[in-house]
């Protein structure tokens, strides 16, 4: 199998975060204890963390093999609407994905391997499929009030950019799919080299997202029928985050991996992560799901109460035999200082497990169980909330990556 590719589809924003001792009362004045400006957006945040994890995984595999040869590190890409290419915010957005190497900043996420025998390995995020709105100079803006007394945050968004259209997505999806070679590097005659393409959607505009997913599914169906070379293993993940957003449930019917947020679940009347997954398992009939595809996975986060995951179809023991849970990770002596992007960090951890430690994917290690993937993602998110931003999370998880081989 060739190295997998993950394309995240969602919004890219500039976050302005005000740290305050407590949430201000209406018509009052309050002095902020800190101000941070950073690039935000669910999918870009997940990509930033996932990039760090892939860097750590790549360095770990090189230490084991003492060579960079044949190490299949997944490639990452972003599809998002951005302001004009000449906007002064574009360099700020792109530079936010840089990874530090040797104590200095490398350009656009370039990462050098950690052994003298290896050549520099680039883990650049591909921005070539982004959609630029040339009439606009400002990206999406989020203004976040972070309450230091409770750890809660209140977000106010402003967006003048037109959302991505189905035709715009089709053009970019076609570019990506056309780049797949028809198994030219197969080891034996008549052998087809499979490339895994993973699309992760925020579920931002459900009606458009649904059509985007169905467009991808149609392409995969054509490939399996033999009209085009069957070199694509297509995976779809979606995030159901915003409560009461019409059409999100329809996305779950079409996905291989579904992330449910606590706010969405409570908006649907669910009382816990396990309640959400049990009832969603009953809701998600397989009539709209191709049985030829691998089993579907449901994941629900519940803040400081941890998270649960469920694989469908269920095991021989039934629903309870397939449901796993993981408590929220708590660092000794640490307090919650920044919950902005915690869910995006968790998603990055789960995606890493499926991209690098799943059956038939990892080129050097035993696959992780669903329980291990959930524990890893919870540990990652728990480490994020006790620090500002996302920096250094990959380095913190290196020991776990080494131990869970």
């Amino acid at each position: 199998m060739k190295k997998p590719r993950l394309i995240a589809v969602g919004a890219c924003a500039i976050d302005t975060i005000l740290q305050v001792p407590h949430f201000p009362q209406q018509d009052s004045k309050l002095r902020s204890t800190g101000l941070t400006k950073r690039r935000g957006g669910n999918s870009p945040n997940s990509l930033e963390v996932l990039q760090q994890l892939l860097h750590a995984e790549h360095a770990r595999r090189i230490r084991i093999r003492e060579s960079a040869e044949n190490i299949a590190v997944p490639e990452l890409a972003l599809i998002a609407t951005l302001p004009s290419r000449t906007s002064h915010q574009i360099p700020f957005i792109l530079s936010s994905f840089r990874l530090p190497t040797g104590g200095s900043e490398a350009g656009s996420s370039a990462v050098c391997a950690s052994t003298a025998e290896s050549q520099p390995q680039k883990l650049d995020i591909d921005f070539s499929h982004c959609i630029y709105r040339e009439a606009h100079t400002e990206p999406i803006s989020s203004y976040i009030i972070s309450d230091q007394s409770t750890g809660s945050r209140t977000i106010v968004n402003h967006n003048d950019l037109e959302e991505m259209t189905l035709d715009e997505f089709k053009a970019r999806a076609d570019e990506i799919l056309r780049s797949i070679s028809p198994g030219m590097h197969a080891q034996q005659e008549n052998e087809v080299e499979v490339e895994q393409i993973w699309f992760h959607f925020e579920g931002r505009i459900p009606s458009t997202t649904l059509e985007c997913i169905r467009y991808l599914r149609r392409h995969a169906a054509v490939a399996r029928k033999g009209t085009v070379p069957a070199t694509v293993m297509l995976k779809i993940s979606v995030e159901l985050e915003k409560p009461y957003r019409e059409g999100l449930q329809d996305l779950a019917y079409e996905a291989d991996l579904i992330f449910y947020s606590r706010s969405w679940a409570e908006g649907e009347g669910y009382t816990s992560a396990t309640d959400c997954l049990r009832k969603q398992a009953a809701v998600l009939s397989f009539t709209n799901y191709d049985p030829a595809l691998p089993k579907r996975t449901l994941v629900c986060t519940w803040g400081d109460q941890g998270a649960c995951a469920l694989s469908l179809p269920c095991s021989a023991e039934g629903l309870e035999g397939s449901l796993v849970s993981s408590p929220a990770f708590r660092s000794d002596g640490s307090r919650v200082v920044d919950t902005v992007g915690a869910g995006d960090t968790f998603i990055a951890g789960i995606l890493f497990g499926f991209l690098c430690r799943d059956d038939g994917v990892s080129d050097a290690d035993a696959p992780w169980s669903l329980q291990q993937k959930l524990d890893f993602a919870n540990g990652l998110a728990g480490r994020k909330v006790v620090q500002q931003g996302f920096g250094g999370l990959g380095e913190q998880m290196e020991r776990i990556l080494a131990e869970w081989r």
Side-chain angles (χ1 to χ4, degrees):
M1 180 181 290
K2 297 174 68 177
K3 68 170 64 176
R5 283 193 274 177
L6 180 134
I7 300 92
V9 186
C12 186
I14 300 295
D15 289 347
T16 302
I17 305 167
L18 283 170
Q19 287 89 39
V20 294
H22 57 82
F23 194 81
Q25 295 182 353
Q26 186 174 344
D27 200 26
S28 67
K29 290 185 178 180
L30 180 65
R31 184 180 293 274
S32 170
T33 58
L35 185 147
T36 305
K37 180 182 176 182
R38 66 181 183 229
R39 188 233 59 257
N42 292 16
S43 288
N45 287 346
S46 295
L47 286 181
E48 181 180 353
V49 177
L50 187 53
Q51 179 185 224
Q52 293 184 43
L53 297 174
L54 295 181
H55 172 50
E57 176 75 351
H58 178 261
R60 184 192 66 81
R61 293 191 190 183
I62 287 178
R63 285 195 295 270
I64 294 172
R65 298 186 177 192
E66 298 184 347
S67 170
E69 185 178 359
N70 296 325
I71 294 180
V73 177
E75 298 175 349
L76 305 177
L78 175 68
I79 299 178
T81 55
L82 297 173
S84 169
R85 290 176 175 84
T86 60
S87 167
H88 68 287
Q89 300 284 21
I90 295 298
F92 178 81
I93 290 171
L94 298 184
S95 66
S96 67
F97 292 95
R98 289 177 179 169
L99 282 173
T101 54
S104 62
E105 291 289 321
S108 187
S109 309
V111 178
C112 293
S114 60
T115 64
E117 295 84 2
S118 62
Q119 296 297 317
Q121 170 76 12
K122 285 193 174 183
L123 296 177
D124 290 348
I125 295 173
D126 182 3
F127 300 99
S128 66
H129 306 296
C130 286
I131 302 160
Y132 292 90
R133 302 299 188 203
E134 297 300 338
H136 296 266
T137 59
E138 294 297 323
I140 300 171
S141 298
S142 293
Y143 301 91
I144 303 170
I145 300 174
S146 178
D147 185 339
Q148 302 301 287
S149 65
T150 64
S152 67
R153 75 278 193 279
T154 302
I155 304 173
V156 179
N157 293 322
H158 177 74
N159 181 18
D160 274 341
L161 300 179
E162 298 93 345
E163 298 288 350
M164 177 190 71
T165 66
L166 175 60
D167 286 341
E168 287 174 328
F169 175 80
K170 285 180 178 180
R172 282 147 184 84
D174 288 345
E175 290 174 357
I176 293 166
L177 296 172
R178 277 198 302 267
S179 69
I180 300 172
S181 61
M184 292 187 298
H185 304 291
Q187 298 291 323
Q188 302 176 12
E189 187 177 357
N190 298 323
E191 179 184 349
V192 176
E193 188 176 34
V194 177
E195 181 163 349
Q196 179 175 303
I197 302 291
W198 194 301
F199 280 85
H200 173 70
F201 293 89
E202 284 182 21
R204 183 172 175 81
I205 307 296
S207 58
T208 301
T209 301
L210 182 63
E211 292 305 313
C212 292
I213 294 173
R214 287 175 173 171
Y215 182 76
L216 293 170
R217 291 292 190 207
R218 286 195 294 271
H219 182 280
V222 169
R224 286 196 298 277
K225 291 177 182 177
T227 307
V228 297
T231 59
V232 182
M233 180 193 296
L234 177 66
K235 296 289 188 72
I236 303 289
S237 57
V238 296
E239 179 185 8
L240 278 60
E241 181 190 21
K242 302 296 184 184
Y244 317 117
R245 180 170 284 180
E246 185 177 354
L248 285 180
Q249 181 68 71
D250 294 333
L251 302 183
Y253 288 111
E254 303 287 342
D256 305 288
L257 173 61
I258 306 128
F259 295 98
Y260 301 95
S261 74
R262 178 175 181 171
S263 59
W264 182 87
E266 289 182 327
E268 296 297 307
Y270 303 129
T271 58
S272 67
T274 54
D275 181 48
C276 174
L277 295 191
R278 287 191 185 105
K279 291 176 179 176
Q280 277 292 298
V283 168
L284 296 177
S285 98
F286 282 81
T287 38
N288 293 335
Y289 192 71
D290 190 335
L293 297 173
K295 59 187 177 183
R296 173 185 278 150
T297 303
L298 287 60
V299 183
C300 183
T301 56
W302 213 264
D304 59 3
Q305 297 181 40
C308 292
L310 173 67
S311 291
L312 296 176
C314 298
S315 67
E317 295 83 11
L319 188 64
E320 293 302 322
S322 300
L323 183 67
V324 298
S325 62
S326 180
F329 177 86
R330 291 175 174 84
S331 299
D332 293 338
S334 299
R335 66 181 184 87
V336 173
V337 297
D338 180 21
T339 60
V340 178
D344 309 329
T345 302
F346 175 88
I347 286 175
I350 294 289
L351 290 174
F352 174 85
F354 278 96
L355 288 168
C356 293
R357 300 292 182 94
D358 206 26
D359 288 323
V361 172
S362 176
D363 58 358
D365 306 290
W368 285 352
S369 66
L370 184 58
Q371 181 71 65
Q372 286 177 299
K373 293 169 186 170
L374 189 65
D375 289 342
F376 179 82
N378 254 353
L380 181 66
R383 288 169 173 85
K384 184 266 163 290
V385 299
V386 298
Q387 68 173 49
Q388 291 290 342
F390 306 102
L393 290 174
E395 295 176 359
Q396 294 183 50
M397 303 304 288
E398 282 187 4
R399 179 178 58 83
I400 294 176
L401 292 176
E403 290 175 353
W404 292 5
R405 290 179 53 189

